[in-house]
Amino acid sequence: MVETLHLWRNGRIACCDASMTRFEQGAILTRGRRIEWVGPERERPGEYRPDESHDLQGAWVTPGLIDCHTHLVFAGSRAAEYAERLRGRSYAQIARAGGGILATMRAVRAASEQQLFDESLPRLEALLAEGVTTVEIKSGYGLTLEDEAKMLRVARSLAHALPVTISTTLLAAHALPPEYAGRADAYIDVIGREWLPRLRAEGLVDAVDIFCDNVGFSTEQAETLFESAARAGVPVKLHAEQLSNQGASLLAARRGALSCDHLEHSGTAEAQALAAAGTVAVLLPVAFFCLGETRKPPVTALRAAGADMAIATDCNPGSAPGSSLLLAMSMATRLFGLTCEEALAGVTRNAARALGLQEERGTLAAGKAADFIVWSIGELEELGYWTGFNPCRSVVKAGRRVS
Ligand code: NIG
Ligand code: FE
């Protein structure tokens, strides 16, 4: 079957490649789900005879945005805990007292698969409305084999409900469940030995993550889990240096992790190690903001070392109750000091790398997925500028206009 050739012309195209190429009078040719050609309109090769033509009316076009770190599948809210935190109780204190992640674990275990789906769908809809066409979703609130599987199945089924590509991450090592109280090593062991191979075989796991911190797991436990992931052929990522420095980033770099996320408590040595390893530094400014943190990730050192920085929402009921990647971009610029260009690369090219999807998505280039966004903006810098305003005009997903 010969697929229809679509021409999307008269756009200002931001390819978001390493040199941040822009075509002022640009065009994109798509065939089926892929980009066939992109470039200045006047250089469009004559051999292409488009079946359909779409006028972009001079609008800015970027790749579909990528939210590379979310815990979007969950049940309930933790607004009461937030109120407690406003009264001075810390996130770590609440976690140690059995609240926090374990509070959401109880809600997720009690929820049916359908309830979990119904509660999670609006959060994904909100991301899609902002031009997010690829989303990573972590498990980590089930903490039994069955409940982690339930979360991951919901994540997969969301990809059938909406035109969004979902990448799933097994984060069973998010908190120690009550069944394993005092036996953290045994818990890590069962995840690596039993749960990961089974869930991977069911097609539910694209990567493995672990919360490595003083209220999470140790670097030794992360190392053990990473060995299991290596045996199962699954890439790894890490929640590192959010609340303290346990040496997690250095471990992530040594193990060639796809990404190392949070990083408020890391410094120059960690930045250099991540850059040298090609591990993406994922910044999560909404969590920084909502936890009222003051210590920032080492952006200057990451930049100087040449590390790739990505930005994500961290959408979760505890530290980052929200579903706006545009707001995360704005916070990354104002709170962490990223430039608008870095913020845009952080939700496109670098976010794709954080998921190991850089061959398929994250930039506009021949052969890549035909996922792109048409924006109602006059200047590209408006992405990362507006706070709580959504200038997304239209979403093209896999070559089809879906909004
Ligand atoms: O990325 N740090 C651990 N995990 C989440 C918080 C999850 C929660 O509080 O429910 C985070 O901030
Ligand atoms: Fe997280």
Side-chain angles (χ1 to χ4, degrees):
M1 188 187 75
V2 183
E3 285 171 307
T4 330
L5 188 64
H6 287 252
L7 171 65
W8 310 79
R9 53 167 299 277
N10 189 22
R12 303 172 79 188
I13 315 264
C15 297
C16 296
D17 55 349
S19 23
M20 283 307 226
T21 309
R22 298 175 182 197
F23 300 116
E24 282 293 331
Q25 264 292 321
I28 303 173
L29 279 162
T30 61
R31 195 188 295 283
R33 308 170 68 82
R34 308 245 146 237
I35 295 174
E36 184 89 20
W37 178 89
V38 55
E41 202 161 338
R42 60 188 146 66
E43 290 177 21
R44 177 161 64 89
E47 72 261 26
Y48 289 115
R49 301 252 176 274
D51 303 291
E52 278 186 50
S53 177
H54 312 260
D55 186 354
L56 298 167
Q57 300 173 326
W60 275 108
V61 175
T62 68
L65 306 189
I66 300 175
D67 191 352
C68 67
H69 180 142
T70 87
H71 310 248
L72 179 148
V73 170
F74 62 84
S77 106
R78 303 223 300 273
E81 276 186 8
Y82 181 60
E84 272 187 70
R85 294 212 310 271
L86 291 175
R87 288 193 291 267
R89 216 161 164 227
S90 76
Y91 180 84
Q93 280 169 336
I94 293 172
R96 287 199 191 93
I101 294 166
L102 293 183
T104 302
M105 174 205 76
R106 291 186 285 274
V108 164
R109 287 184 180 181
S112 70
E113 201 155 324
Q114 185 65 45
Q115 277 167 343
L116 208 46
F117 177 90
D118 292 344
E119 286 197 41
S120 304
L121 184 67
R123 294 188 276 270
L124 189 61
E125 284 171 336
L127 288 175
L128 175 61
E130 284 191 342
V132 180
T133 53
T134 301
V135 177
E136 185 255 16
I137 300 180
K138 301 175 195 296
S139 68
Y141 294 121
L143 313 186
T144 64
L145 174 59
E146 214 14 77
D147 292 299
E148 290 288 293
K150 176 171 76 177
M151 289 188 71
L152 293 166
R153 280 195 302 271
V154 168
R156 284 278 187 250
S157 58
L158 286 167
H160 300 295
L162 293 176
V164 177
T165 299
I166 303 288
S167 180
T168 56
T169 299
L170 177 66
L171 177 61
H174 197 194
L176 191 62
E179 299 78 13
Y180 281 87
R183 296 187 297 133
D185 287 344
Y187 183 55
I188 294 296
D189 201 58
V190 77
I191 297 170
R193 239 201 269 268
E194 288 177 29
W195 300 7
L196 173 59
R198 277 179 66 172
L199 297 169
R200 173 74 165 179
E202 288 174 38
L204 291 172
V205 176
D206 298 324
V208 172
D209 193 346
I210 176 165
F211 182 22
C212 209
D213 220 309
N214 52 12
V215 293
F217 295 90
S218 69
T219 40
E220 290 72 27
Q221 288 159 345
E223 182 105 53
T224 305
L225 186 62
F226 286 1
E227 304 261 319
S228 307
R231 275 195 297 277
V234 183
V236 295
K237 38 185 49 248
L238 218 96
H239 279 69
E241 279 114 52
Q242 181 184 16
L243 308 168
S244 65
N245 191 330
Q246 314 280 321
S249 292
L250 299 180
L251 167 69
R254 191 156 43 77
R255 304 288 317 200
L258 287 175
S259 75
C260 201
D261 306 33
H262 283 290
L263 300 174
E264 280 85 345
H265 287 257
S266 60
T268 305
E270 286 81 3
Q272 288 170 347
L274 294 176
T279 295
V280 179
V282 178
L283 309 179
L284 304 166
V286 184
F288 169 88
F289 173 78
C290 291
L291 294 181
E293 298 287 353
T294 49
R295 198 181 153 131
K296 301 184 183 193
V299 166
T300 309
L302 287 164
R303 188 184 286 133
D308 284 333
M309 293 182 276
I311 301 164
T313 60
D314 199 13
C315 171
N316 76 73
S319 62
S323 211
S324 172
L325 190 57
L326 295 176
L327 183 61
M329 288 172 76
S330 158
M331 287 180 169
T333 54
R334 187 68 282 169
L335 298 176
F336 291 169
L338 267 68
T339 64
C340 288
E341 206 162 87
E342 286 171 334
L344 184 55
V347 295
T348 53
R349 182 178 75 252
N350 292 343
R353 287 203 55 229
L355 300 178
L357 294 175
Q358 63 274 16
E359 299 304 322
E360 290 168 52
R361 36 197 87 238
T363 68
L364 296 177
K368 296 272 172 94
D371 289 8
F372 51 88
I373 311 305
V374 186
W375 300 97
S376 293
I377 54 176
E379 299 161 276
L380 194 55
E381 289 74 16
E382 288 180 55
L383 302 176
Y385 159 77
W386 295 104
T387 51
F389 174 71
N390 177 11
C392 175
R393 181 188 297 178
S394 181
V395 175
V396 176
K397 174 68 183 171
R400 264 188 338 111
R401 194 190 279 263
V402 297
S403 74

